[in-house]
mmCIF file of all heavy atoms in Angstrom:
data_model
loop_
_atom_site.group_PDB
_atom_site.id
_atom_site.type_symbol
_atom_site.label_atom_id
_atom_site.label_comp_id
_atom_site.label_asym_id
_atom_site.label_seq_id
_atom_site.Cartn_x
_atom_site.Cartn_y
_atom_site.Cartn_z
ATOM 1 N N VAL O 147 -16.204 10.545 -11.260
ATOM 2 C CA VAL O 147 -15.767 11.222 -10.038
ATOM 3 C C VAL O 147 -17.126 11.654 -9.245
ATOM 4 O O VAL O 147 -18.001 12.110 -9.863
ATOM 5 C CB VAL O 147 -15.097 12.546 -10.363
ATOM 6 C CG1 VAL O 147 -14.674 13.297 -9.111
ATOM 7 C CG2 VAL O 147 -13.849 12.229 -11.221
ATOM 8 N N ALA O 148 -17.031 11.283 -8.083
ATOM 9 C CA ALA O 148 -18.195 11.620 -7.172
ATOM 10 C C ALA O 148 -17.802 12.817 -6.317
ATOM 11 O O ALA O 148 -16.747 12.712 -5.680
ATOM 12 C CB ALA O 148 -18.639 10.433 -6.264
ATOM 13 N N VAL O 149 -18.547 13.824 -6.289
ATOM 14 C CA VAL O 149 -18.262 15.016 -5.377
ATOM 15 C C VAL O 149 -18.979 14.611 -4.109
ATOM 16 O O VAL O 149 -20.211 14.455 -4.033
ATOM 17 C CB VAL O 149 -18.739 16.362 -5.961
ATOM 18 C CG1 VAL O 149 -18.543 17.451 -4.904
ATOM 19 C CG2 VAL O 149 -17.983 16.582 -7.249
ATOM 20 N N CYS O 150 -18.252 14.545 -3.027
ATOM 21 C CA CYS O 150 -18.740 14.133 -1.745
ATOM 22 C C CYS O 150 -18.550 15.147 -0.618
ATOM 23 O O CYS O 150 -17.767 16.030 -0.790
ATOM 24 C CB CYS O 150 -18.008 12.830 -1.274
ATOM 25 S SG CYS O 150 -18.168 11.420 -2.389
ATOM 26 N N LYS O 151 -19.367 15.061 0.352
ATOM 27 C CA LYS O 151 -19.049 15.863 1.620
ATOM 28 C C LYS O 151 -19.474 15.053 2.792
ATOM 29 O O LYS O 151 -20.200 14.006 2.752
ATOM 30 C CB LYS O 151 -19.919 17.195 1.598
ATOM 31 C CG LYS O 151 -21.387 17.100 1.577
ATOM 32 C CD LYS O 151 -21.969 18.469 1.578
ATOM 33 C CE LYS O 151 -23.453 18.497 1.269
ATOM 34 N NZ LYS O 151 -24.060 19.827 1.269
ATOM 35 N N CYS O 152 -18.985 15.483 3.976
ATOM 36 C CA CYS O 152 -19.239 14.792 5.258
ATOM 37 C C CYS O 152 -20.518 15.326 5.923
ATOM 38 O O CYS O 152 -20.366 16.462 6.442
ATOM 39 C CB CYS O 152 -17.958 14.963 6.137
ATOM 40 S SG CYS O 152 -16.542 14.236 5.401
ATOM 41 N N LYS O 153 -21.555 14.640 5.805
ATOM 42 C CA LYS O 153 -22.862 15.237 6.243
ATOM 43 C C LYS O 153 -22.960 15.128 7.846
ATOM 44 O O LYS O 153 -23.724 15.918 8.413
ATOM 45 C CB LYS O 153 -24.080 14.544 5.602
ATOM 46 C CG LYS O 153 -24.108 13.057 5.869
ATOM 47 C CD LYS O 153 -25.321 12.402 5.300
ATOM 48 C CE LYS O 153 -25.358 10.832 5.514
ATOM 49 N NZ LYS O 153 -26.598 10.251 5.149
ATOM 50 N N LYS O 154 -22.281 14.145 8.405
ATOM 51 C CA LYS O 154 -22.438 13.929 9.926
ATOM 52 C C LYS O 154 -21.009 13.760 10.366
ATOM 53 O O LYS O 154 -20.118 13.223 9.727
ATOM 54 C CB LYS O 154 -23.148 12.696 10.124
ATOM 55 C CG LYS O 154 -24.700 12.821 10.191
ATOM 56 C CD LYS O 154 -25.269 11.599 10.860
ATOM 57 C CE LYS O 154 -26.404 11.155 9.860
ATOM 58 N NZ LYS O 154 -26.910 9.780 10.210
ATOM 59 N N GLY O 155 -20.766 14.122 11.676
ATOM 60 C CA GLY O 155 -19.611 13.849 12.248
ATOM 61 C C GLY O 155 -18.533 14.946 12.019
ATOM 62 O O GLY O 155 -18.486 15.575 10.938
ATOM 63 N N ARG O 156 -17.622 15.101 12.905
ATOM 64 C CA ARG O 156 -16.545 16.092 12.691
ATOM 65 C C ARG O 156 -15.261 15.422 13.324
ATOM 66 O O ARG O 156 -15.388 14.756 14.280
ATOM 67 C CB ARG O 156 -16.792 17.429 13.372
ATOM 68 C CG ARG O 156 -17.925 18.220 12.582
ATOM 69 C CD ARG O 156 -17.314 18.730 11.234
ATOM 70 N NE ARG O 156 -18.322 19.482 10.441
ATOM 71 C CZ ARG O 156 -19.208 18.901 9.592
ATOM 72 N NH1 ARG O 156 -19.177 17.510 9.459
ATOM 73 N NH2 ARG O 156 -20.001 19.562 8.910
ATOM 74 N N PRO O 157 -14.092 15.781 12.794
ATOM 75 C CA PRO O 157 -13.796 16.586 11.687
ATOM 76 C C PRO O 157 -14.191 15.984 10.311
ATOM 77 O O PRO O 157 -14.508 14.757 10.246
ATOM 78 C CB PRO O 157 -12.340 16.822 11.675
ATOM 79 C CG PRO O 157 -11.834 15.574 12.296
ATOM 80 C CD PRO O 157 -12.854 15.206 13.329
ATOM 81 N N GLN O 158 -14.304 16.824 9.254
ATOM 82 C CA GLN O 158 -14.587 16.305 7.929
ATOM 83 C C GLN O 158 -13.165 15.749 7.438
ATOM 84 O O GLN O 158 -12.242 16.561 7.352
ATOM 85 C CB GLN O 158 -15.018 17.370 6.949
ATOM 86 C CG GLN O 158 -16.261 18.175 7.586
ATOM 87 C CD GLN O 158 -16.445 19.597 6.841
ATOM 88 O OE1 GLN O 158 -16.865 19.552 5.636
ATOM 89 N NE2 GLN O 158 -16.103 20.624 7.549
ATOM 90 N N MET O 159 -13.064 14.480 7.168
ATOM 91 C CA MET O 159 -11.818 13.863 6.791
ATOM 92 C C MET O 159 -11.656 13.596 5.318
ATOM 93 O O MET O 159 -12.567 13.223 4.653
ATOM 94 C CB MET O 159 -11.736 12.584 7.573
ATOM 95 C CG MET O 159 -11.370 12.743 9.008
ATOM 96 S SD MET O 159 -11.163 11.094 9.987
ATOM 97 C CE MET O 159 -9.598 10.491 9.152
ATOM 98 N N ALA O 160 -10.499 13.678 4.813
ATOM 99 C CA ALA O 160 -10.173 13.241 3.470
ATOM 100 C C ALA O 160 -8.671 12.827 3.365
ATOM 101 O O ALA O 160 -7.834 13.364 4.035
ATOM 102 C CB ALA O 160 -10.351 14.413 2.419
ATOM 103 N N THR O 161 -8.482 11.656 2.604
ATOM 104 C CA THR O 161 -7.189 11.360 2.200
ATOM 105 C C THR O 161 -6.967 11.881 0.706
ATOM 106 O O THR O 161 -7.886 11.809 -0.021
ATOM 107 C CB THR O 161 -6.885 9.835 2.194
ATOM 108 O OG1 THR O 161 -7.762 9.210 1.313
ATOM 109 C CG2 THR O 161 -7.037 9.251 3.616
ATOM 110 N N VAL O 162 -5.830 12.339 0.450
ATOM 111 C CA VAL O 162 -5.552 13.038 -0.878
ATOM 112 C C VAL O 162 -4.518 12.296 -1.613
ATOM 113 O O VAL O 162 -3.432 11.854 -1.160
ATOM 114 C CB VAL O 162 -4.948 14.452 -0.595
ATOM 115 C CG1 VAL O 162 -4.684 15.179 -1.779
ATOM 116 C CG2 VAL O 162 -5.993 15.310 0.413
ATOM 117 N N ARG O 163 -4.847 12.048 -2.893
ATOM 118 C CA ARG O 163 -3.931 11.277 -3.808
ATOM 119 C C ARG O 163 -2.653 12.007 -4.044
ATOM 120 O O ARG O 163 -2.658 13.241 -4.233
ATOM 121 C CB ARG O 163 -4.623 11.145 -5.138
ATOM 122 C CG ARG O 163 -3.792 10.190 -6.093
ATOM 123 C CD ARG O 163 -4.055 10.388 -7.563
ATOM 124 N NE ARG O 163 -5.380 9.901 -7.946
ATOM 125 C CZ ARG O 163 -5.718 9.799 -9.238
ATOM 126 N NH1 ARG O 163 -5.047 10.315 -10.244
ATOM 127 N NH2 ARG O 163 -6.926 9.313 -9.454
#
Side-chain angles (χ1 to χ4, degrees):
Chain O
V147 180
V149 176
C150 296
K151 63 178 172 186
C152 301
K153 60 176 179 174
K154 276 189 227 168
R156 285 293 177 273
Q158 307 163 73
M159 287 180 67
T161 61
V162 179
R163 187 202 287 185

